[in-house]
Amino acid sequence: MQTMPAHAAHHDDREIETLEEFDATVSARGSLAGYRVQSVDLTDRTRDLLGTDTAGAVFLGCAMREEAAAKIRGEGALVFPPVPGLPFDPYRGLVYSPDELFASLADGYEATPDALAYAWFQRTKADGDIYASMLRAVHDDSVSDALDELLSGARVVGVMGGHAMARGTEEYAGAARLGRELARAGFTIATGGGPGAMEAANLGAYAAPFDDEMLTESLELLGKAPHFTPSITHWASAAFEVRTRWPRGGRSVGIPTWFYGHEPPNAFASHIAKYFANATREDGLLARSNAGVVFLPGAAGTVQEIFDNATPNYYESRGEPTPMVLVNRAHWTEKLPAWPLLRSLARERSMEARIALVERIEEAPGALKRLGG
């Protein structure tokens, strides 16, 4: 089973994102000239900073002592200090983990960094403050950078579907088996990172290293908290119970947004790239699904994703069209007839050979393989 590439090996050689990388660079190179140091606490590295050339370096959100900051500014380095009082770090060097976003869940979801970031977004999004919108943009750009590093070299399959799919249903179990099968086939699963179909696919990837019994028991456990309403705390706690019973599950990616803040991220994606701007998130999720996308039944959001994905395939603006598999005939031909329109768009273009409509979730991996050549 393919795991995601290790992050450090793939990012820009001039980016330093951990204290270990900082120490290794200073001892190997003896210089930080031209480097980008992202969100590393350098409070205890004053001697290194005073004794190292930092010309042309940029320090983004790195805590440091005033004498160190004054010295490196004097050498022409740029210092963007940490922003006090924010519930998130706009300069972060890595994507989130479930443990990070759900820290303090024991005190109720309202106390978690995820909920606090959403509350900040609610307070600032309507007031047109350039400072708040700049912080959101810097944060989202940092997350995109980290996501690219994480997925470098991975074969990513997107699984799209609605948040309404409840735990404990046959549909949810099917979406989990889909995620598991794709992960076992060596793909990295990427979802919109939320509840419902998205959670089920991330759960499947998490379950990939374990036996059938683990998935069966997990589905039973989760079925006791079928939906994230009325209590996100109860819903998320059930997922952490599964993770505690079966630690070290398979890796996958969730790409959610605070724009839909009523919809919490799911805890089964090992890596969570959470955005403030939904447009950045939507486009980023589909652009990174380089091995194809499976569309499970969903509502307006999923319809939007079908055509957000179809457009670059139609114009071949990202190169060769990537496979698109729609699941559930009645849903996509009668309830929300996206399939006839997609088929008409594809006619006599190279994307025609890359789209498929299947009845059952179980048929999706085969269709993906067939379309992917």
Side-chain angles (χ1 to χ4, degrees):
M1 191 176 102
Q2 185 201 30
T3 52
M4 276 178 272
H7 122 161
H10 290 280
H11 68 56
D12 179 335
D13 294 344
R14 296 180 313 146
E15 284 181 21
I16 294 174
E17 294 163 350
T18 63
L19 204 50
E20 294 72 38
E21 287 180 310
F22 178 86
D23 291 342
T25 305
V26 170
S27 70
R29 300 268 173 103
S31 168
L32 290 166
Y35 274 81
R36 310 285 183 252
V37 190
Q38 247 179 296
S39 202
V40 180
D41 186 344
L42 300 174
T43 318
D44 298 332
R45 294 296 184 272
T46 304
R47 193 198 297 166
D48 290 324
L49 291 169
L50 292 176
T52 307
D53 176 19
T54 58
V58 179
F59 293 82
L60 297 164
C62 299
M64 62 179 76
R65 302 204 186 280
E66 193 41 55
E67 60 177 311
K71 176 261 181 188
I72 64 185
R73 276 197 197 99
E75 289 181 339
L78 276 176
V79 180
F80 292 80
V83 182
L86 272 190
F88 62 93
D89 175 6
Y91 303 113
R92 56 182 305 117
L94 306 171
V95 297
Y96 294 94
S97 69
D99 294 318
E100 185 183 357
L101 285 175
F102 284 105
S104 315
L105 183 63
D107 302 326
Y109 173 71
E110 291 64 35
T112 64
D114 186 62
L116 295 171
Y118 176 56
W120 176 87
F121 181 36
Q122 287 295 93
R123 278 199 309 278
T124 60
K125 71 178 181 184
D127 60 14
D129 177 12
I130 179 69
Y131 179 54
S133 63
M134 182 195 78
L135 291 172
R136 292 197 293 270
V138 169
H139 168 274
D140 285 2
D141 205 55
S142 300
V143 167
S144 286
D145 184 60
L147 185 59
D148 283 337
E149 290 159 11
L150 178 76
L151 293 177
S152 174
R155 290 191 304 146
V156 182
V157 170
V159 179
M160 310 296 151
H163 63 256
M165 187 185 279
R167 293 167 171 178
T169 61
E170 191 36 57
E171 291 78 16
Y172 185 96
R177 287 192 294 271
L178 170 71
R180 185 175 68 172
E181 187 172 342
L182 292 171
R184 285 177 176 173
F187 294 110
T188 295
I189 300 297
T191 75
M198 300 172 269
E199 179 185 61
N202 288 126
L203 166 66
Y206 188 89
F210 302 101
D211 59 9
D212 285 355
E213 205 171 312
M214 175 269 177
L215 186 55
T216 306
E217 288 180 34
S218 300
L219 290 168
E220 238 165 75
L221 261 173
L222 293 169
K224 293 174 186 160
H227 209 258
F228 63 91
T229 53
S231 166
I232 293 177
T233 307
H234 188 48
W235 174 85
S237 299
F240 280 99
E241 191 183 333
V242 169
R243 289 177 38 133
T244 304
R245 272 186 66 176
W246 294 278
R248 291 182 298 282
R251 291 148 62 98
S252 68
V253 178
I255 306 182
T257 173
W258 279 294
F259 180 77
Y260 297 129
H262 63 283
E263 198 178 283
N266 79 71
F268 292 112
S270 53
H271 298 81
I272 301 176
K274 190 152 190 179
Y275 288 92
F276 287 107
N278 187 46
T280 311
R281 166 251 193 169
E282 287 280 359
D283 194 58
L285 172 54
L286 294 163
R288 290 175 177 86
S289 298
N290 55 13
V293 184
V294 177
F295 297 91
L296 300 175
T302 312
V303 173
Q304 181 182 342
E305 285 160 346
I306 289 174
F307 293 103
D308 277 349
N309 196 40
T311 304
N313 284 342
Y314 179 91
Y315 290 113
E316 298 190 39
S317 53
R318 292 185 187 133
E320 280 281 289
T322 50
M324 298 176 68
V325 179
L326 279 58
V327 176
N328 188 319
R329 281 178 201 283
H331 189 85
W332 294 122
T333 61
E334 293 159 32
K335 190 176 177 190
L336 296 171
W339 173 252
L341 178 51
L342 182 64
R343 207 177 45 192
S344 302
L345 272 177
R347 195 165 293 130
E348 293 172 15
R349 299 183 85 87
S350 53
M351 72 180 276
E352 191 169 20
R354 296 289 173 91
I355 63 170
L357 173 65
V358 299
E359 181 54 49
R360 292 164 35 254
I361 285 179
E362 290 70 30
E363 300 169 68
L368 206 55
K369 197 177 274 176
R370 197 171 67 244
L371 301 177

